């Protein structure tokens, strides 16, 4: 009963504190260039996420972004790359297609470069802590002399513990569409390495991604009806 009464008493203060919008909720998607492993195999990555941007009360320039993100990495390797020696006509080479899926939770601090009502340019350093969900590869062997198919193998790994950690830096642009909604266009740099290796191998992922999304303020107007989105 005392707890309930305390909540009732605090309701006016909570409502008053929320008159100025301080929280943006958004969803985003992106695509970029990815690399993986010690040989920096290149490929394409896709990402989908949700983030929450919280500004310091009374100071719109100081903000923190918390996000959840799913990333799908696709890359290839060819055993002929970098090989300059001779080979016999009956030798083979392997072409491999990889797919890695990672789920991340991250935190970024927003440092404003340009901060106006309708446009913002921000650099946001931070870090991401994630887990490798699945790792798949399809490896195909061919005759070097004729590119004739020899053999193919598929494999999928579902690791029980595979934590990923690394720095995340983004350059964020925000365009004001309405007093309540912003359009985001970001350039992201993310590099991660595993904390718990699989079968003794150390694996890293990373890349550069362009992503866009829509963000909404939770409380667009104050008590007088005027917008206070900053």
């Amino acid at each position: 009963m005392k707890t309930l009464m305390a909540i009732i008493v605090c309701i006016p203060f909570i409502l008053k504190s929320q008159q100025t919008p301080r929280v943006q909720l958004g969803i985003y998607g992106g695509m970029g260039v990815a690399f993986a492993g010690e040989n920096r195999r290149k490929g394409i990555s896709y990402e989908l996420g949700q983030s929450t941007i919280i500004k310091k009360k009374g100071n719109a320039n100081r903000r923190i972004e918390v996000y959840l993100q799913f990333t799908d990495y696709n890359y290839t390797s060819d055993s002929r790359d970098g090989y300059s020696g001779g080979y016999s006509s009956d030798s083979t080479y392997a072409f491999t297609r990889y797919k890695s899926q990672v789920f991340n939770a991250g935190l970024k601090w927003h440092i404003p470069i340009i901060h106006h009502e309708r446009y913002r340019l921000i650099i946001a350093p931070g870090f991401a802590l994630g887990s490798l969900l699945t790792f798949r590869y399809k490896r195909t062997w061919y005759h070097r002399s004729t590119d004739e198919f020899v053999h193919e193998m598929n494999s999928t790994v579902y690791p029980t513990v595979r934590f990923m950690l690394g720095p995340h830096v983004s350059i964020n642009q925000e365009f004001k569409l309405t007093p309540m909604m912003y359009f985001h266009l970001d350039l992201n740099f993310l590099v991660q390495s595993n904390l718990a290796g699989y079968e003794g191998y150390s694996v890293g992922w990373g890349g550069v991604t362009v992503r866009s999304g829509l963000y909404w303020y939770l409380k667009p107007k104050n008590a007088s009806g005027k917008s206070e989105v900053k």
Side-chain angles (χ1 to χ4, degrees), residues 37-95:
E38 297 179 356
N39 296 326
R40 294 296 185 263
R41 295 182 290 264
K42 296 180 180 179
I44 299 176
S45 65
Y46 305 93
E47 63 184 32
L48 180 66
Q50 183 279 328
S51 70
T52 302
I53 300 174
I54 305 171
K55 75 171 184 177
K56 182 180 181 297
K57 187 175 181 179
N59 189 338
N61 294 343
R62 297 177 61 182
R63 308 193 306 180
I64 293 178
E65 180 178 356
V66 182
Y67 65 89
L68 301 174
Q69 179 176 302
F70 171 81
T71 308
D72 186 273
Y73 294 100
N74 300 268
Y75 43 94
T76 62
S77 69
D78 191 330
S79 63
R80 295 172 297 180
D81 293 343
Y83 182 78
S84 58
Y87 54 86
S88 62
S89 60
D90 61 348
S91 63
T92 61
Y93 70 90
F95 183 79

Side-chain angles (χ1 to χ4, degrees), residues 93-97 138-142 149-153:
Y93 70 90
F95 183 79
T96 310
R97 297 176 178 86
K138 178 188 291 185
R139 182 166 296 157
T140 309
W141 286 266
Y142 300 89
F149 171 78
V150 177
H151 178 65
E152 186 175 86
M153 180 180 66

Side-chain angles (χ1 to χ4, degrees), residues 92-219:
T92 61
Y93 70 90
F95 183 79
T96 310
R97 297 176 178 86
Y98 299 89
K99 177 185 286 288
S100 305
Q101 296 177 329
V102 181
F103 180 79
N104 280 311
L107 182 68
K108 293 189 291 185
W109 289 265
H110 286 199
I111 302 173
I113 300 175
I114 299 173
H115 196 281
H116 296 304
E117 181 182 358
R118 295 191 175 274
Y119 173 74
R120 300 165 184 166
L121 178 63
I122 296 163
I123 183 169
F127 66 90
L129 175 64
S131 175
L132 175 63
L133 301 178
T134 60
F135 176 72
R136 300 183 176 95
Y137 67 89
K138 178 188 291 185
R139 182 166 296 157
T140 309
W141 286 266
Y142 300 89
H143 283 295
R144 289 182 182 270
S145 57
T146 63
D147 286 339
E148 179 184 359
F149 171 78
V150 177
H151 178 65
E152 186 175 86
M153 180 180 66
N154 291 278
S155 180
T156 302
V157 177
Y158 297 95
T160 55
V161 179
R162 186 65 176 273
F163 292 111
M164 311 291 294
L165 178 65
H168 187 180
V169 179
S170 64
I171 299 174
N172 304 345
Q173 296 184 83
E174 299 183 16
F175 302 89
K176 185 177 181 180
L177 303 180
T178 70
M180 190 177 180
M181 183 170 64
Y182 272 81
F183 172 73
H184 284 218
L185 182 63
D186 306 336
L187 180 64
N188 292 268
F189 305 87
L190 174 63
V191 179
Q192 291 181 292
S193 61
N194 61 296
L195 301 181
Y198 174 74
E199 294 183 352
Y201 294 98
S202 176
V203 181
W205 282 268
V208 181
T209 305
V210 176
R211 76 184 193 194
S212 60
L214 290 175
Y215 285 72
W216 292 266
Y217 273 105
L218 294 183
K219 192 74 174 180

